[in-house]
Amino acid sequence: MKTSKLKTRREFLKITATGTIAAGVLPILMEAKNGIPNSSLSVSGPIVISTWNHGLPANEAAWKILSAKGTAIDAVEKGVNVIESDPENTSVGIGGAPDRDGRVTLDACIMNHNGDCGSVACLEHIVNPVSVARMVMEKTPHVMIVGDGALAFAIDQGFKKTDLLTPKSKIAWKEWLKSSQYKPVINIENHDTIGMLAMDHLGNLSGSCTTSGLAYKMHGRVGDSPIIGAGLFVDNEVGAACATGLGETVIRQCGSFLVVELMRQGISPTEACKIAVERIIKHEKNIKDLQVGFLAMNKKGETGAYAIHSGFNYAKYDTNGNKLIDSDFSDR
Ligand code: SD4
């Protein structure tokens, strides 16, 4: 299995090196509809992409691993760990906004090139839920562990119990309590769930997704981010996709799975993300205040994104460096 994949990759590089594209030298930028370079074909080996501005520092950590010939699975774990561990980030890991009861409950998942996956949901007191998800994948016969069970498992694996409610997010929550109005506003602050997709030097794909979910959600609410097929999906023969935005709408369409299945039919990453977004638009009644964005990478290293509204962006790190790219959007 591994040999044939390596052979395919070598053949691919050989073709591109002797064809019009020199491997490792010339990425082709394709102009998106709105004039923003959104999708690119890179034939230069490792690539990592991740959602929102915080994708830039996350990619830096992932790239250190990828450029040293490390694995995609290590890259996507260590990359998003940086954001989980940042107390200033109010949508992921420590410092994440709490639920309406003041409890910070985290969702995360991870998936490798073999199709193995692990997930935790409604996990409290652990700074790096994606690393617990990886332990679920590697050390248990299960895919998903939630709530107290996930916390007990994490502690058993040596994770430290930490208070995740920072003074800053406590003040914001107390302020919210004055009106207790539940109005999810996604995308406005431009930092949200982080989803990361990576291809390593062997051409293997992996992905991760981690979030504190919707601010002031009902206690126990779980979004799309820890659900394999919704917030993240990886098929090493085809590509990988992840989602950000209002999770309920993504779950209803099996969003990331849908994007990967569309790419399986030969549809480009951007177009696949667009079709998935249109499925959501068609189904949801009120899309004015609702944002969803998908991010995808195919097996050729082509990447793309699409969102309902403007404002979604992602960071891409390849041999050309680490850049923020604005997603295409529908804005209907
Ligand atoms: C959720 N999808 O819990 C997450 C939130 C998010 O960008 O992605 N925000 O529904």
Side-chain angles (χ1 to χ4, degrees):
M1 185 78 171
K2 259 188 185 150
T3 328
S4 73
K5 272 181 193 148
L6 272 173
K7 193 166 153 247
T8 313
R9 171 96 183 138
R10 262 191 230 119
E11 277 167 2
F12 171 66
L13 288 174
K14 210 167 86 192
I15 293 161
T16 52
T18 51
T20 49
I21 310 161
V25 191
L26 187 61
I28 301 170
L29 289 180
M30 297 187 291
E31 289 297 306
K33 242 188 13 223
N34 54 7
I36 297 161
N38 174 28
S39 180
S40 66
L41 169 61
S42 171
V43 290
S44 50
I47 306 174
V48 58
I49 51 177
S50 53
T51 55
W52 304 108
N53 297 355
H54 53 203
L56 286 172
N59 282 1
E60 293 287 340
W63 187 256
K64 265 193 199 135
I65 294 167
L66 293 171
S67 58
K69 294 196 170 16
T71 60
I73 192 72
D74 283 343
V76 298
E77 180 196 357
K78 302 297 177 221
V80 302
N81 277 167
V82 172
I83 311 307
E84 290 177 332
S85 303
D86 176 4
E88 291 304 312
N89 187 306
T90 58
S91 52
V92 181
I94 188 165
D99 63 19
R100 55 180 57 184
D101 302 334
R103 296 165 74 165
V104 181
T105 67
L106 305 177
D107 296 341
C109 72
I110 194 161
M111 191 161 187
N112 72 15
H113 66 287
N114 291 319
D116 298 323
C117 45
S119 157
V120 289
C122 207
L123 172 62
E124 294 180 81
H125 308 302
I126 302 292
V127 176
N128 297 121
V130 82
S131 298
V132 184
R134 184 166 179 181
M135 293 289 111
V136 173
M137 174 175 84
E138 292 178 350
K139 303 218 165 150
T140 80
H142 307 305
V143 167
M144 190 167 197
I145 304 187
V146 307
D148 288 348
L151 177 60
F153 172 71
I155 287 166
D156 200 49
Q157 293 299 314
F159 289 85
K160 217 173 83 219
K161 210 171 160 183
T162 307
D163 184 1
L164 303 180
L165 189 66
T166 57
K168 187 175 149 192
S169 45
K170 193 170 184 173
I171 290 168
W173 168 61
K174 289 259 162 82
E175 199 48 43
W176 175 82
L177 279 177
K178 290 181 188 161
S179 66
S180 298
Q181 250 204 19
Y182 186 54
K183 262 198 170 178
V185 183
I186 290 194
N187 178 33
I188 310 305
E189 300 140 13
N190 228 2
H191 49 84
D192 255 291
T193 292
I194 183 157
M196 176 178 275
L197 310 172
M199 182 188 282
D200 61 27
H201 71 291
L202 296 174
N204 282 328
L205 296 167
S206 292
S208 63
C209 192
T210 178
T211 189
S212 53
L214 294 182
Y216 318 128
K217 61 195 174 186
M218 287 173 69
H219 180 65
R221 179 264 185 191
V222 171
D224 60 316
S225 303
I227 298 180
I228 298 297
L232 175 72
F233 195 69
V234 178
D235 183 326
N236 204 42
E237 289 181 357
V238 176
C242 60
T244 179
L246 191 63
E248 283 74 3
T249 70
V250 177
I251 294 171
R252 283 196 271 269
Q253 305 301 331
C254 291
S256 294
F257 179 73
L258 175 61
V259 172
V260 172
E261 289 309 298
L262 289 162
M263 291 194 293
R264 193 189 301 281
Q265 297 169 25
I267 295 171
S268 74
T270 307
E271 192 58 24
C273 292
K274 182 179 179 193
I275 294 170
V277 161
E278 281 169 352
R279 211 52 85 89
I280 289 175
I281 292 173
K282 193 170 162 203
H283 185 271
E284 301 299 328
K285 284 175 196 72
N286 180 14
I287 58 153
K288 198 170 69 66
D289 298 322
L290 131 70
Q291 175 67 308
V292 170
F294 289 105
L295 180 60
M297 182 191 299
N298 68 15
K299 194 63 182 169
K300 289 189 274 182
E302 293 168 330
T303 60
Y306 204 86
I308 299 179
H309 300 295
S310 64
F312 175 44
N313 57 9
Y314 66 100
K316 174 172 179 170
Y317 205 147
D318 61 11
T319 50
N320 298 301
N322 199 9
K323 298 187 199 73
L324 259 190
I325 300 172
D326 286 328
S327 166
D328 239 347
F329 53 91
S330 164
D331 245 354
R332 259 186 265 167

